[in-house]
């Protein structure tokens, strides 16, 4: 196992639409960077909850492993958030600026009361982030999109709405919830939890897990937990049929990684994908990496991902 070097930092960006968003970004600031080739930017779209702090170890691990194994990639790693899923989203950085959640509510619904973003609005946020990130780099930059869980559905939505990005060279979907998730074991549970009556109560309880500090700091507070559960409710309603057209158009770029006993997308999802697209690079995990790898197995998953880029 490689030693993790801390290269990343949290940043809050103001975007062209006037709204704000947090990212966790790893850059190489050494002088050696000037001697290597064009940039490669690895963008992570999270699962639900999209708490940015959960993805910090994974982003760091991808960055460190890539620079050790493929130093000529000249890699930056940028992890995105889901708006409203972290406690910092609800506090303005200073009195002259709105909070992150208020800036997006103003953008989407200026005449209504503040509310959690829908799945379509979170996807719109990812499109704006993707376009903005592309504008920050030279034209010869290579981009890699990586989604986790519902982030894979969002990633396919970005591909569908940005079909002509020639320098998008790889798309990695980790434990992809991209079809019929309401019928999965976890989907049936979430349909109950995410109902309006239960949702307000559960939002106070939040989650438990190995990343206890992050969970307590973010999801045990009512607002982020409520926003995450609201997104889960939208997912059950909207993640239905597989977007075969987008998969077909991008099948040569795609890598899909499934867990055989994943309660969101198990081996049957893997087999269905291989049946529909025999030549696609779909992989069934044999190392017992779990759906919530960002909690337990960031380094192990990062090592796999780096081999695919």
């Amino acid at each position: 196992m490689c030693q993790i070097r801390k290269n990343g930092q949290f940043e809050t960006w103001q975007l062209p639409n006037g709204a704000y968003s947090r990212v966790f970004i790893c850059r190489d600031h050494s002088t050696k960077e000037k001697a290597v080739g064009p940039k490669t930017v690895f963008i992570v779209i999270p699962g639900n909850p999209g708490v940015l702090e959960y993805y910090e170890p994974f982003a760091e691990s991808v960055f460190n492993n890539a620079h050790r194994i493929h130093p000529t990639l000249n890699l930056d790693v940028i992890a995105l958030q889901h708006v409203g899923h972290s406690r910092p989203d609800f506090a303005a950085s200073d009195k002259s600026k709105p909070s992150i959640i208020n800036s997006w509510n103003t953008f989407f619904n200026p005449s209504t009361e503040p509310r959690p973003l829908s799945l379509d609005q979170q996807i719109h946020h990812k499109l704006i982030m993707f376009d903005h990130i592309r504008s920050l780099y030279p034209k010869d930059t290579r981009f890699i999109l990586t989604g986790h869980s519902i982030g894979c559905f969002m990633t396919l939505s970005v591909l569908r709405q940005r079909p002509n990005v020639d320098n998008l060279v790889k798309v990695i979907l980790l434990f992809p919830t991209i079809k019929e998730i309401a019928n999965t074991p976890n989907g049936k549970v979430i349909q109950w939890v995410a109902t309006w009556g239960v949702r307000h109560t559960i939002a106070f309880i939040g989650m438990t897990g190995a990343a206890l500090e992050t969970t307590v700091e973010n999801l045990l507070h009512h607002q982020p937990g409520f926003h995450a559960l609201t997104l889960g409710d939208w997912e059950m309603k909207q993640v239905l049929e597989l977007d075969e057209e987008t998969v077909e158009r991008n099948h040569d770029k795609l890598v899909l990684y499934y867990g055989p006993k994943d309660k969101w997308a198990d081996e049957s999802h893997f087999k269905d994908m291989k049946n529909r697209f025999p030549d696609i690079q779909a992989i069934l995990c044999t190392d017992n990496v779990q759906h919530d790898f960002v909690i337990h197995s960031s380094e192990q998953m990062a090592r796999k991902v780096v081999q695919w880029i």
Side-chain angles (χ1 to χ4, degrees):
M1 181 181 296
C2 70
Q3 184 177 3
I4 300 299
R5 295 184 295 119
K6 294 295 184 181
N7 295 283
Q9 61 186 27
F10 293 94
E11 297 180 0
T12 300
W13 294 354
Q14 185 172 20
L15 304 171
N17 68 339
Y20 294 85
S21 191
R22 294 173 74 229
V23 300
F24 181 76
I25 182 167
C26 299
R27 306 180 183 92
D28 190 346
H29 296 288
S30 70
T31 56
K32 294 180 181 179
E33 183 179 6
K34 299 177 182 178
V36 298
K39 272 285 187 187
T40 301
V41 180
F42 184 98
I43 301 171
V44 182
I45 299 180
N48 184 10
V51 180
L52 195 54
E53 286 76 4
Y54 281 141
Y55 289 82
E56 178 182 356
F58 177 63
E60 291 274 10
S61 296
V62 169
F63 181 87
N64 287 322
N65 278 282
H67 278 265
R68 178 174 56 86
I69 298 171
H70 305 300
T72 58
L73 277 177
N74 195 7
L75 189 75
D76 286 357
V77 178
I78 305 176
L80 310 184
Q81 68 166 133
H82 294 331
V83 175
H85 288 209
S86 298
R87 196 178 179 191
D89 293 0
F90 297 89
S93 57
D94 61 59
K95 293 181 179 179
S96 66
K97 299 177 181 177
S99 66
I100 289 173
I101 187 62
N102 284 345
S103 72
W104 285 96
N105 270 280
T106 298
F107 174 68
F108 285 120
N109 303 297
S111 61
T112 62
E113 291 294 318
R115 63 184 64 185
L117 269 60
S118 68
L119 177 56
D120 286 341
Q121 289 169 341
Q122 294 285 5
I123 291 169
H124 195 160
H125 166 259
K126 304 309 175 290
L127 283 165
I128 290 173
M129 291 298 299
F130 183 50
D131 291 345
H132 181 61
I133 290 169
R134 287 164 54 212
S135 75
L136 299 177
Y137 288 89
K139 290 184 178 180
D140 61 351
T141 301
R142 302 164 71 251
F143 291 95
I144 298 168
L145 275 179
T146 298
H148 171 219
S149 191
I150 192 60
C152 299
F153 182 84
M154 296 184 185
T155 298
L156 288 181
S157 298
V158 170
L159 291 179
R160 184 174 63 252
Q161 298 180 65
R162 296 294 183 271
N164 299 316
V165 181
D166 294 334
N167 53 348
L168 179 58
V169 297
K170 186 72 70 175
V171 180
I172 301 170
L173 305 181
L174 304 174
F175 302 94
T177 57
I178 53 179
K179 74 179 188 77
E180 300 172 352
I181 60 172
N183 296 326
T184 64
N186 278 357
K188 293 174 182 178
V189 172
I190 289 297
Q191 287 178 83
W192 177 78
V193 171
T195 59
W196 278 101
V198 178
R199 194 185 317 173
H200 286 79
T201 303
I202 298 295
F204 284 103
I205 300 174
M207 296 172 55
T208 59
L212 184 60
E213 183 177 350
T214 294
T215 302
V216 170
E217 180 63 23
N218 293 280
L219 294 175
L220 289 187
H221 291 268
H222 170 67
Q223 290 174 313
F226 177 57
H227 282 236
L229 287 167
T230 300
L231 179 60
D233 189 31
W234 282 106
E235 293 170 27
M236 298 306 106
K237 297 171 181 175
Q238 290 185 238
V239 182
L240 302 172
E241 294 295 322
L242 177 68
D243 183 356
E244 289 195 19
E245 181 180 348
T246 299
V247 173
E248 174 63 36
R249 192 175 65 245
N250 296 277
H251 78 279
D252 57 328
K253 300 177 182 178
L254 284 166
V255 178
L256 301 97
Y257 191 80
Y258 290 91
K261 297 181 180 180
D262 185 354
K263 292 183 179 181
W264 285 112
D266 62 14
E267 187 171 356
S268 68
H269 287 229
F270 162 78
K271 289 179 178 178
D272 179 62
M273 184 63 67
K274 290 295 288 184
N275 182 57
R276 299 194 204 198
F277 306 96
D279 297 330
I280 204 165
Q281 189 175 356
I283 300 165
L284 190 65
C285 178
T286 58
D287 298 318
N288 199 35
V289 179
Q290 301 299 306
H291 188 98
D292 58 350
F293 71 87
V294 294
I295 305 297
H296 306 289
S297 308
S298 287
E299 171 66 18
Q300 187 178 8
M301 193 73 252
R303 292 200 304 270
K304 293 177 181 291
V305 165
V306 168
Q307 299 300 318
W308 304 328
I309 62 177

